[in-house]
Amino acid sequence: MHTIAELVEFLNKIGQGHLAQNIDKFTEQQQKEFLEQVNKLNTTYPGGLEEYTKRAKVLLKNSADNVNPYEGFVPSVPIGEKVNFSSFEEVAGLESIGREELNHTAFVLVAGGLGERLQYDGIKIGIQFEITTGQTFLNYYLDFIRAFNEKAELAIMTSDDTYTLTMKLLEENNYYGFPKDQITIMKQEKVPAMIDNDAHFTQLPNSLLIETKPHGHGDVHTLLFQHQLPKKWIQQGKKWLVVFQDTNPLVFRALPSVLAISKTKNLEVNSITAPRKPGEAVGAICKLTKGNERLTINVEYNQLGSLLPKEPVDEHGYSVFPGNINSIVFSLQEYDSVLEKTKGLIMEFINPKYADATKTKFKSSSRLECMYQDYPKLLENDNRVGMTQVNRAFCFSTVKNDIKTAGQKFQQNLAPESASSCEQDLYFMNRQILKLVGVHVETSDASDYEFENIKLNLSPQIILKPSLGVTLAEIKNNIKNTQVTITRNSTVVLDGETFKNASDKLEIDGQFNVPANYQSKTKYRTFVGVDSKAAQHLLIRGYDVKRD
Ligand code: UGB
């Protein structure tokens, strides 16, 4: 569309003529901006705004008619492999297969979400997620991916909310040493907001411009298709694609084993799952059956009720339906073919808030949304869709909740998913890893701190840099014959250099290799509560290092 006349004709054709009703009351410049916006929205959405309106009308009708998308489906527990991290041997066998596959793996980080629940003013990948070295999530992810494979490629999905700050974080930190030409930044665009069942778009106050809202993380598939990245990666000899979310550092330790399962079980889609408690804000992976139809899929936490009014639990109180941790391994060849057929546009949903029982008008505008874990709905059959259930301590702890909400969740015996619980879980995992490779680590089951109503077990604090190894075998090889002991009150950073010239024994009691600005002046490092003047990354966890 080049002219206002063409624009008006187009809007009338797609049933959005109301947008141009008062167009003459606006300046030429405003009309031009409107034309540009419609052109942009029309090209970024696969199929254009006509298709968007068409899809919205169908979904809005279903919603008004109370159509239950799971009607007639019977849920059962999907079959999958388990990785328990119960012994060195169990994991090392898998990791030796997965380690090789990591040389043929591309990575995608979905980081377009604002994280409103966290109340953190900034992008989540820029959070210092542990205060032993102060590294950011992004730093940790890039270090891991580079340690997996120097030639690994990474795509990051950003949005209008996160693009500028993501670029700033990368530029200011010199891409954390990651080769710049191996990173692709993608940006998801928002979609039109609608106000009634006829999918009429809304406009910003006193403006011609259409109100837009986020379309959800499912956009990642469309963007990968539009950037033609799967094709490029296949040409480079890559076989796998790992998609992961913005605040879960633990999952990198599970990836070598999970890739081994993708390979040995020949899985086209392999979702990583972890035990979840009923009521947690974590989707459940279910096998749904209706006649001959079979679908292994995530059922989102806010929809579980319509499928499973009462969730069955095991003897530990965990749901028998494992939790989706939104880290998925795809086989690239099949993934590329599916994108070619579907443009990566996965099934959307709408969640209108109705103004009254007639269900005709909305209280506030609504838009189509999509989720990346709905990808299996694009497949013709689910024969090669599987999951790997990993010991939660080795794959899942995120930072999603502000500290007050997190405290309430802790009191309800649910995972707090706060900056404090994620930091605690990282140290816990690293202690377990060292124990699995034969290091003597003094630990206790008792918590040693309490901040903002959350009991924490933070000691000893251990950071294992990926340069020490990305598999248990690599870590063991690096430590060689050094007999390492770590006391409970210690704070320890181990990396690829630590054992280069080490002797037979390394007895750590206190702070070891901790950067100066994260040390306490005393022998043992301790934590103290913070007040409202503290830096944001400390406020969201409720404590800081006691400096003197
Ligand atoms: N994201 C985007 O990139 N763009 C968007 O428009 C929105 C989000 P949330 P939530 O594993 O803990 C997911 O908001 O609601 C990115 C699963 O759906 O953190 O907690 C965003 O930046 C759920 O099944 O998701 O739910 C982030 O990286 C459950 O498994 C990612 O998408 C849960 O995660 C997830 O966004 C979980």
Side-chain angles (χ1 to χ4, degrees):
M1 280 167 278
H2 300 288
T3 63
I4 299 300
E6 283 169 355
L7 170 67
V8 174
E9 192 189 327
F10 171 75
L11 292 174
N12 282 327
K13 184 176 137 229
I14 66 166
Q16 303 290 353
H18 66 288
L19 297 174
Q21 251 167 20
N22 297 323
I23 199 161
D24 296 341
K25 298 205 175 99
F26 291 88
T27 63
E28 221 169 276
Q29 178 60 23
Q30 286 169 317
Q31 293 181 12
K32 191 171 155 255
E33 281 167 15
F34 181 42
L35 173 68
E36 278 165 11
Q37 187 205 28
V38 173
N39 269 327
K40 189 172 172 205
L41 290 170
N42 199 35
T43 42
T44 48
Y45 187 82
L49 289 177
E50 185 166 16
E51 177 70 16
Y52 182 80
T53 308
K54 209 164 96 196
R55 283 168 176 253
K57 281 186 184 166
V58 174
L59 288 168
L60 283 163
K61 181 163 177 359
N62 288 346
S63 172
D65 293 347
N66 285 327
V67 173
N68 175 359
Y70 296 113
E71 188 66 48
F73 278 103
V74 179
S76 60
V77 182
I79 297 166
E81 296 297 312
K82 284 197 173 151
V83 184
N84 296 321
F85 277 84
S86 54
S87 70
F88 178 83
E89 289 70 25
E90 179 218 352
V91 182
L94 286 169
E95 286 186 340
S96 68
I97 301 169
R99 185 70 188 90
E100 168 55 26
E101 298 311 305
L102 283 166
N103 292 324
H104 311 287
T105 302
F107 296 83
V108 177
L109 163 60
V110 287
L114 247 188
E116 281 156 324
R117 277 179 285 164
L118 183 60
Q119 289 179 18
Y120 180 84
D121 184 19
I123 48 170
K124 289 185 281 173
I125 52 175
I127 294 173
Q128 295 176 36
F129 72 102
E130 48 89 357
I131 50 172
T132 292
T133 70
Q135 66 185 317
T136 60
F137 278 116
L138 187 60
N139 187 355
Y140 182 81
Y141 300 156
L142 292 180
D143 279 0
F144 250 101
I145 293 170
R146 209 152 50 109
F148 284 153
N149 174 14
E150 283 288 336
K151 295 210 166 63
E153 295 256 336
L154 167 70
I156 306 179
M157 179 171 80
T158 61
S159 64
D160 280 333
D161 297 324
T162 63
Y163 174 80
T164 308
L165 289 175
T166 302
M167 291 313 297
K168 190 163 172 259
L169 183 65
L170 283 166
E171 298 286 347
E172 280 178 1
N173 292 287
N174 211 6
Y175 285 68
Y176 294 107
F178 198 93
K180 206 172 159 174
D181 58 353
Q182 288 165 224
I183 296 191
T184 307
I185 308 291
M186 313 185 292
K187 183 155 89 66
Q188 60 177 146
E189 298 297 338
K190 292 183 177 167
V191 289
M194 298 163 284
I195 198 62
D196 58 27
N197 286 341
D198 289 325
H200 284 131
F201 298 167
T202 50
Q203 282 165 304
L204 296 174
N206 307 319
S207 168
L208 279 168
L209 295 179
I210 298 169
E211 183 194 9
T212 57
K213 289 192 165 176
H215 189 223
H217 42 64
D219 279 345
V220 70
H221 303 296
T222 323
L223 283 170
L224 287 170
F225 172 71
Q226 287 169 348
H227 286 255
Q228 289 286 292
L229 287 174
K231 281 221 164 19
K232 172 181 157 190
W233 292 334
I234 289 169
Q235 275 159 17
Q236 291 173 347
K238 299 205 164 43
K239 298 186 215 159
W240 307 105
L241 174 67
V242 171
V243 183
F244 62 101
Q245 57 171 320
D246 51 14
T247 67
N248 178 17
L250 306 195
V251 74
F252 284 83
R253 293 286 177 198
L255 285 181
S257 307
V258 175
L259 273 164
I261 286 161
S262 282
K263 181 173 167 69
T264 53
K265 300 288 168 198
N266 191 24
L267 294 178
E268 181 178 346
V269 181
N270 185 6
S271 289
I272 310 181
T273 67
R276 57 175 278 284
K277 293 201 175 137
E280 266 194 85
V282 170
I285 304 280
C286 302
K287 186 168 189 78
L288 302 179
T289 313
K290 180 157 91 178
N292 291 333
E293 267 182 83
R294 285 179 308 142
L295 185 63
T296 300
I297 195 80
N298 171 66
V299 179
E300 199 56 346
Y301 46 91
N302 51 9
Q303 296 204 306
L304 261 178
S306 64
L307 189 69
L308 284 168
K310 189 166 181 350
E311 267 186 78
V313 291
D314 67 14
E315 67 274 23
H316 307 291
Y318 285 106
S319 166
V320 299
F321 294 97
N324 161 48
I325 69 161
N326 254 11
S327 296
I328 308 175
V329 181
F330 298 92
S331 170
L332 253 182
Q333 197 72 52
E334 289 84 348
Y335 183 79
D336 181 54
S337 314
V338 172
L339 292 199
E340 281 300 327
K341 275 194 223 139
T342 63
K343 300 187 169 72
L345 184 57
I346 59 174
M347 213 185 245
E348 292 154 309
F349 61 93
I350 191 156
N351 200 2
K353 307 273 178 290
Y354 296 108
D356 56 43
T358 63
K359 292 194 166 181
T360 47
K361 284 250 177 314
F362 310 156
K363 226 188 268 174
S364 56
S365 61
S366 198
R367 82 292 195 180
L368 296 188
E369 292 177 78
C370 58
M371 297 186 294
Y372 71 86
Q373 63 268 36
D374 272 344
Y375 174 89
K377 291 182 182 165
L378 295 180
L379 306 180
E380 274 153 30
N381 66 57
D382 90 333
N383 295 346
R384 292 174 56 213
V385 180
M387 58 129 191
T388 303
Q389 204 180 136
V390 181
N391 179 341
R392 187 163 171 151
F394 292 85
C395 72
F396 187 48
S397 184
T398 61
V399 179
K400 300 224 184 192
N401 297 314
D402 67 87
I403 196 68
K404 291 270 174 301
T405 311
Q408 287 156 11
K409 286 192 184 276
F410 180 82
Q411 300 301 325
Q412 293 159 16
N413 199 21
L414 293 175
E417 303 297 334
S418 62
S420 56
S421 61
C422 182
E423 175 159 28
Q424 162 195 255
D425 295 344
L426 177 79
Y427 298 143
F428 179 81
M429 177 179 77
N430 289 342
R431 299 198 282 265
Q432 299 308 108
I433 287 174
L434 287 186
K435 284 182 183 179
L436 285 168
V437 300
V439 171
H440 181 83
V441 189
E442 189 192 340
T443 55
S444 161
D445 290 337
S447 51
D448 50 358
Y449 289 99
E450 179 170 343
F451 296 109
E452 305 283 351
N453 296 324
I454 303 174
K455 287 198 165 67
L456 298 162
N457 187 347
L458 289 166
S459 307
Q461 298 108 47
I462 296 175
I463 294 296
L464 304 178
K465 293 279 189 181
S467 58
L468 181 72
V470 294
T471 61
L472 296 188
E474 283 178 7
I475 295 174
K476 199 169 182 165
N477 280 345
N478 256 317
I479 295 177
K480 287 179 272 192
N481 297 325
T482 308
Q483 276 188 7
V484 188
T485 55
I486 298 172
T487 63
R488 172 118 206 253
N489 291 324
S490 295
T491 305
V492 184
V493 181
L494 302 180
D495 60 27
E497 297 299 309
T498 309
F499 296 95
K500 284 245 160 88
N501 302 309
S503 51
D504 304 353
K505 266 197 185 151
L506 179 61
E507 291 173 352
I508 301 174
D509 180 31
Q511 303 175 69
F512 181 84
N513 208 11
V514 179
N517 49 343
Y518 289 90
Q519 290 175 11
S520 290
K521 285 205 184 98
T522 49
K523 177 174 180 185
Y524 300 116
R525 208 174 74 132
T526 53
F527 296 116
V528 283
V530 288
D531 63 28
S532 58
K533 289 193 243 28
Q536 259 204 98
H537 72 283
L538 302 174
L539 285 176
I540 57 167
R541 53 172 42 81
Y543 57 87
D544 189 9
V545 177
K546 189 169 185 295
R547 308 284 161 175
D548 38 34

